[in-house]
Amino acid sequence: MPQPYDIEIDGAGYMLAPGTYRRVSDGIPEGRTGRVVVKDFFGGQRRALQLERDRSWDSEGVGPALFGQGVEPWPFSTFHGDGVILSVSTGSRAASAVANGFAWMGYGRYLNKSIALSATSWASFVRDEDFGAGAGFTDLTAYGDQNLACLFGSTLDVKTYDTGAGTAATLRAGRKGSCGVGYGGYLMFGGQDGVTVRVDNGTNQDSRDLDGVPRRMALHAGRVAIATRTGSLFLWGGKWDGVAAQWSGEPEPFFTHGVYADDQDYVFLTSFGGKLYTWLQGAVMEFNPNAGNNRQGWRATGLEGRSCYGATVAANMLVVAIVGRDGVPQVWAWDGSGWWLMNTIAGGQTRCWPMFLAGAGNFDLLTFRDASVTYDLYRMAYRDATYHNYNGAGDWSSSLLDAGERDKNKAWRTIGCTFAAPEIRGNAASNDAVTVALAYSTDGGKTFTTAASTSVNDPTNRTLDLEASLANAAAISRFLMLRVSFSSVSDWSPVLTGAWAEYELLDAPAKRRKWSFKVRASDATVQRDGTIAARTGRQLAADLWAAWSAGATVPFKDVDYDATAATSQVRIVGIAEEVAKPSDGGRWGESTVALTLVEV
């Protein structure tokens, strides 16, 4: 049966005022545009998802520029095949130290000496001392003014080595150790006498017992930090008391992690930037005893992997050699605020036992290769236009950018990057043509599509922009990754200072309708079928005001009910009544009521 009136609200019929009916969708409209910008590189890499800071994901071959305000290709690296040293492996530590103007490396039975720290070019090691068949280095440390202390585990007594005279001597007959540190003219060592840690200079000696076997030692906070196999950390300082004929200090426990379980735990222990770092349960951990009670104990720094093969401090960075979760060998540098990926070696030899070179040959760092006499040399600090620290190529990758709305798809429309520097950072006279390219990924970095590239050959041109528009439907995803690549780098490079992407947000709002119209509330209203409405205008208006006041959901039949037979559930969210002649107080049956309905 046809509906006798235009609309029906809560079972009551109403006629519309001509030209006032409007039906639209309700909610946030689709297609909102926005922009996401990466402009802060402080804090390094390993940021997988866009959070409070727009940092970077793993990016090989680039490092911090302008104190983290930008990035550039870094570090310079090369390799050297050494005809002197034994083949180094991950299964046996290559211990190293710097003393008397040289960098020293102990491996197997041999103590090897680098070229002088003042030398400007690198050459192979010199085999300086042979400790005999069966000896195997486990640790090496500076000891006294120009001496070294050599530790061999169970294979040989602790030896001291005078680097000036080139002579070795036994510290004390029968004393063996696996780890040690030179401190105040004495050697603190342990690892071969159960829980006992010793202090000895060949003349005076003393010892203390800890809660576990010493595993690794390092200078920290003016004392010696000792990690034990039970997971405890001790600090031991003091000096020799000649009157009492004993060492004045006592080991002070300042943290216990738990029962030692993994042979990789404490594979290194080193102090950097006033904090203590180690490898613990598959991750690089930081301990800051001065952080206060709100952050006691070890804190993860964000770098994890299957295994670790040593660490050192070089060029004001902590360098760690690991095998990542994916089985790929990696070398990382920590600048105190974040990690920077120096290189990955997919399908290659594991890098191990990083060694500080202190500028020997104008290099800062050496990493050995597993089962090889070839090693890698790195220049991490910029020296001059000739001895620079630029990598020949590098890629910077953003984290997974989501524009703050991770749950919604975006149509990415335009991407770009900026390069800028307030100074000339490389060789100002260079004519090297550096290629920079901008690419994007919508599949989490599995594949990248190059969007723009250019070649620049003027080091004095300090600013550069790269921008690309993406075709319709070319990049629709919840996440976007940007990648900026540097190649053909010789002795200068633009500094990446920002990357951005513009998008259109593809919302999925609730699919509901919204109506606005005016109804006639008058006496003797003529309906569609020619009949007269039974209710007076006063009653029609009063019913609508009552429904609005109640805030209840009511059934609604639209103007096309005859064709659709659909009934919607709505709420009256807006109402306004107009009276043509307010002075006619007796005729409230002559008004127009404006309504706004929203589907529930």
Side-chain angles (χ1 to χ4, degrees):
M1 180 178 178
Q3 188 169 256
Y5 26 72
D6 288 339
I7 62 170
E8 180 182 297
I9 300 176
D10 198 18
Y14 298 89
M15 296 299 292
L16 301 177
T20 64
Y21 178 87
R22 186 168 180 262
R23 180 171 63 188
V24 298
S25 64
D26 186 44
I28 300 173
E30 290 189 302
R32 289 186 288 130
T33 59
R35 183 182 178 94
V36 58
V37 181
V38 179
K39 58 182 179 181
D40 184 2
F41 304 93
F42 181 83
Q45 302 167 8
R46 294 253 92 187
R47 173 55 56 82
L49 296 166
Q50 180 185 7
L51 295 175
E52 77 281 0
R53 296 176 74 105
D54 298 321
R55 297 176 185 165
S56 314
W57 179 238
D58 295 2
S59 303
E60 181 181 5
V62 295
L66 304 173
F67 299 97
Q69 297 171 86
V71 296
E72 62 188 1
W74 173 90
F76 175 81
S77 64
T78 186
F79 63 90
H80 180 80
D82 199 303
V84 176
I85 66 171
L86 297 175
S87 177
V88 176
S89 74
T90 57
S92 180
R93 175 184 297 274
S96 59
V98 173
N100 197 24
F102 297 90
W104 302 82
M105 188 271 283
Y107 190 75
R109 61 192 284 184
Y110 298 110
L111 177 64
N112 305 286
K113 180 174 70 173
S114 76
I115 58 172
L117 303 186
S118 59
T120 57
S121 59
W122 183 260
S124 296
F125 283 94
V126 173
R127 189 171 288 173
D128 214 56
E129 183 70 20
D130 181 356
F131 288 97
F137 267 92
T138 60
D139 207 354
L140 179 67
T141 182
Y143 171 63
D145 292 335
Q146 62 176 22
N147 294 337
L148 295 169
C150 308
L151 297 98
F152 302 91
S154 62
T155 64
L156 193 66
D157 289 347
V158 174
K159 301 290 184 178
T160 60
Y161 185 76
D162 186 326
T163 60
T167 57
T170 300
L171 176 69
R172 190 176 297 275
R175 291 286 185 248
K176 294 179 171 60
S178 299
C179 57
V181 168
Y183 179 80
Y186 284 74
L187 178 68
M188 290 186 177
F189 65 99
Q192 289 297 313
D193 291 322
V195 299
T196 300
V197 60
R198 300 185 181 278
V199 57
D200 198 338
N201 71 347
T203 301
N204 303 315
Q205 65 170 327
D206 205 347
S207 64
R208 301 289 189 274
D209 288 342
L210 307 180
D211 66 350
V213 177
R215 167 73 170 160
R216 191 65 49 204
M217 298 184 185
L219 291 173
H220 177 67
R223 292 182 285 179
V224 175
I226 307 169
T228 71
R229 285 185 175 269
T230 56
S232 297
L233 283 175
F234 291 82
L235 281 178
W236 194 14
K239 62 182 180 178
W240 185 258
D241 186 340
V243 176
Q246 64 182 14
W247 190 258
S248 64
E250 295 292 332
E252 301 174 12
F254 68 101
F255 180 70
T256 298
H257 178 68
V259 177
Y260 167 79
D262 192 336
D263 286 341
Q264 279 271 307
D265 285 352
Y266 302 117
V267 68
F268 74 86
L269 183 70
T270 187
S271 185
F272 173 71
K275 302 174 184 178
L276 199 59
Y277 293 86
T278 193
W279 180 262
L280 195 59
Q281 296 298 303
V284 177
M285 307 292 282
E286 171 191 273
F287 188 87
N288 182 3
N290 301 315
N293 293 329
N294 61 330
R295 200 182 240 183
Q296 285 295 321
W298 292 110
R299 180 185 73 90
T301 62
L303 184 65
E304 59 181 357
R306 296 183 184 181
S307 52
C308 177
Y309 297 103
T312 191
V313 176
N316 202 30
M317 286 188 171
L318 171 67
V319 179
V320 181
I322 70 168
V323 174
R325 289 179 55 137
D326 56 1
V328 175
Q330 301 171 333
V331 180
W332 286 86
W334 168 264
D335 63 3
S337 64
W339 290 101
W340 298 91
L341 179 58
M342 297 177 69
N343 67 342
T344 61
I345 309 96
Q349 294 165 304
T350 299
R351 275 26 176 198
C352 55
W353 318 124
M355 177 179 175
F356 177 43
L357 295 181
N362 276 307
F363 289 102
D364 302 299
L365 175 74
L366 179 154
T367 58
F368 296 97
R369 300 184 181 185
D370 182 36
S372 177
V373 296
T374 298
Y375 43 74
D376 298 289
L377 299 163
Y378 299 86
R379 187 178 303 120
M380 302 166 65
Y382 186 88
R383 288 168 170 77
D384 54 42
T386 300
Y387 298 108
H388 58 78
N389 61 347
Y390 286 107
N391 202 335
D395 294 324
W396 172 85
S397 297
S398 73
S399 57
L400 288 168
L401 304 177
D402 56 28
E405 302 195 64
R406 195 168 297 174
D407 58 325
K408 296 175 182 177
N409 269 335
K410 298 98 187 164
W412 303 95
R413 301 301 190 194
T414 309
I415 59 175
C417 58
T418 61
F419 302 83
E423 63 180 5
I424 299 174
R425 291 182 57 79
N427 181 10
S430 176
N431 58 6
D432 176 41
V434 179
T435 299
V436 290
L438 174 64
Y440 68 92
S441 172
T442 58
D443 57 9
K446 182 178 180 180
T447 59
F448 278 89
T449 301
T450 300
S453 66
T454 190
S455 181
V456 290
N457 59 5
D458 184 2
T460 66
N461 187 0
R462 304 181 187 183
T463 62
L464 173 69
D465 294 316
L466 206 57
E467 182 176 325
S469 297
L470 306 183
N472 290 340
I476 297 178
S477 61
R478 283 181 169 83
F479 300 100
L480 182 77
M481 289 186 73
L482 298 176
R483 184 177 70 188
V484 178
S485 300
F486 302 83
S487 58
S488 301
V489 179
S490 175
D491 53 5
W492 82 280
S493 174
V495 177
L496 175 67
T497 53
W500 54 270
E502 292 179 347
Y503 62 89
E504 185 176 344
L505 190 65
L506 304 181
D507 277 314
K511 301 296 184 180
R512 64 180 187 177
R513 291 166 290 183
K514 183 177 182 179
W515 294 263
S516 60
F517 47 74
K518 295 180 179 179
V519 301
R520 295 169 55 192
S522 58
D523 298 342
T525 299
V526 179
Q527 303 181 135
R528 279 184 179 180
D529 60 357
T531 61
I532 303 298
R535 292 181 297 163
T536 66
R538 181 187 292 275
Q539 291 172 326
L540 292 170
D543 289 345
L544 292 172
W545 279 102
W548 167 80
S549 178
T553 300
V554 296
F556 171 68
K557 295 179 180 179
D558 208 349
V559 293
D560 56 357
Y561 177 78
D562 290 347
T564 65
T567 299
S568 303
Q569 299 297 315
V570 301
R571 290 178 62 245
I572 301 176
V573 296
I575 185 170
E577 188 174 3
E578 300 174 358
V579 180
K581 296 180 179 181
S583 61
D584 190 355
R587 288 189 54 78
W588 278 95
E590 290 292 340
S591 66
T592 302
V593 182
L595 297 175
T596 302
L597 311 180
V598 174
E599 190 172 25
V600 177

